[in-house]
Amino acid sequence: EAQVTQNPRYLITVTGKKLTVTCSQNMNHEYMSWYRQDPGLGLRQIYYSMNVEVTDKGDVPEGYKVSRKEKRNFPLILESPSPNQTSLYFCASSQTGGTYGYTFGSGTRLTVV
Amino acid sequence: AQTVTQSQPEMSVQEAETVTLSCTYDTSENNYYLFWYKQPPSRQMILVIRQEAYKQQNATENRFSVNFQKAAKSFSLKISDSQLGDTAMYFCAFITTSGTYKYIFGTGTRLKVLA
């Protein structure tokens, strides 16, 4: 089954404790992206990657890191999480840069206390 | 700046009735694509319908159709014969083909279908 697999689904952590949210796709997509969803704000792009070893900032990159060492994986790293990073996170991928729509992961609900 | 506005935070509709969700957008680009995504309580994001800006014909997918008014920069979603399973948050989004291929999302409309 073609899918984007995101883990974990739920995560509660403490301020300052480094964490990684994993994202993997099995569709050989070149384009991958991370979004955060907050009430009243919709989805906002954190980082994106047009291909392996090519990543760039989205609208809200502060406090986040990503890497794209292989095509299928695009992990999101929070080096020192803070409470304002409490949010619902989505990984998404697309073959064509999104013009035919994204395939989204199932989301990660992150709470930073 | 490119923006998407969904002016209806919440809506409700009776089962089997028709409902229209509004969306307006702003961009100076000529080539772009418009989308409606559905997010049910499971929170999975599901593509409902897609419209290419250079096509005048409105897209349809079964009970879902759009009214695309390019000059007015309007892209509304019509759901016919509403079903309980249509209860969800609906996001309007667009993407341009220049630069980063970034999606711009609206803030969403929460739709509740009433039995």
Side-chain angles (χ1 to χ4, degrees):
Chain A
E1 179 187 355
Q3 61 184 359
V4 176
T5 302
Q6 205 180 315
N7 284 298
R9 190 164 171 80
Y10 297 92
L11 180 59
I12 301 175
T13 191
V14 296
T15 299
K17 185 177 181 181
K18 181 179 178 180
L19 66 90
T20 299
V21 183
T22 63
C23 175
S24 180
Q25 50 95 2
N26 62 1
M27 297 164 283
N28 203 36
H29 285 169
E30 292 186 351
Y31 187 94
M32 297 185 75
S33 185
W34 278 101
Y35 285 82
R36 61 177 288 172
Q37 180 182 350
D38 301 290
L41 297 177
L43 283 81
R44 294 176 293 166
Q45 190 182 55
I46 303 170
Y47 269 94
Y48 67 95
S49 170
M50 299 288 280
N51 212 329
V52 176
E53 301 293 359
V54 179
T55 64
D56 208 344
K57 298 176 181 179
D59 293 322
V60 288
E62 295 77 21
Y64 304 95
K65 286 176 57 177
V66 293
S67 68
R68 188 91 183 273
K69 297 178 181 176
E70 47 191 346
K71 185 179 273 193
R72 63 183 293 126
N73 294 324
F74 190 45
L76 180 69
I77 303 159
L78 285 72
E79 295 263 352
S80 183
S82 62
N84 65 12
Q85 293 177 298
T86 292
S87 187
L88 177 60
Y89 292 87
F90 285 99
C91 179
S93 74
S94 171
Q95 182 59 32
T96 57
T99 57
Y100 283 87
Y102 278 154
T103 301
F104 282 87
S106 55
T108 295
R109 171 75 67 186
L110 173 65
T111 302
V112 184
V113 298
Chain B
Q2 301 180 27
T3 60
V4 175
T5 302
Q6 294 180 250
S7 58
Q8 306 151 313
E10 294 186 355
M11 297 185 71
S12 62
V13 62
Q14 289 293 135
E15 196 175 7
E17 296 294 309
T18 296
V19 64
T20 299
L21 281 59
S22 301
C23 173
T24 59
Y25 61 94
D26 190 21
T27 180
S28 58
E29 301 285 339
N30 280 321
N31 296 321
Y32 53 90
Y33 299 78
L34 296 153
F35 305 87
W36 280 97
Y37 280 89
K38 170 184 177 181
Q39 186 181 45
S42 67
R43 81 188 189 206
Q44 181 69 48
M45 293 286 286
I46 302 165
L47 177 63
V48 174
I49 201 163
R50 168 184 176 269
Q51 174 79 43
E52 298 167 352
Y54 60 86
K55 287 189 176 179
Q56 292 186 341
Q57 185 174 3
N58 290 324
T60 62
E61 287 288 341
N62 301 312
R63 298 183 294 107
F64 298 88
S65 61
V66 298
N67 182 5
F68 174 47
Q69 301 289 329
K70 189 172 184 178
K73 295 181 179 176
S74 172
F75 183 61
S76 60
L77 175 70
K78 185 172 82 171
I79 306 174
S80 303
D81 185 26
S82 297
Q83 301 175 359
L84 295 177
D86 295 333
T87 292
M89 180 75 88
Y90 287 82
F91 291 99
C92 177
F94 82 87
I95 189 171
T96 64
T97 57
S98 62
T100 66
Y101 286 82
K102 180 176 68 178
Y103 267 49
I104 307 295
F105 282 90
T107 53
T109 295
R110 187 173 301 278
L111 176 67
K112 187 170 185 178
V113 179
L114 306 172

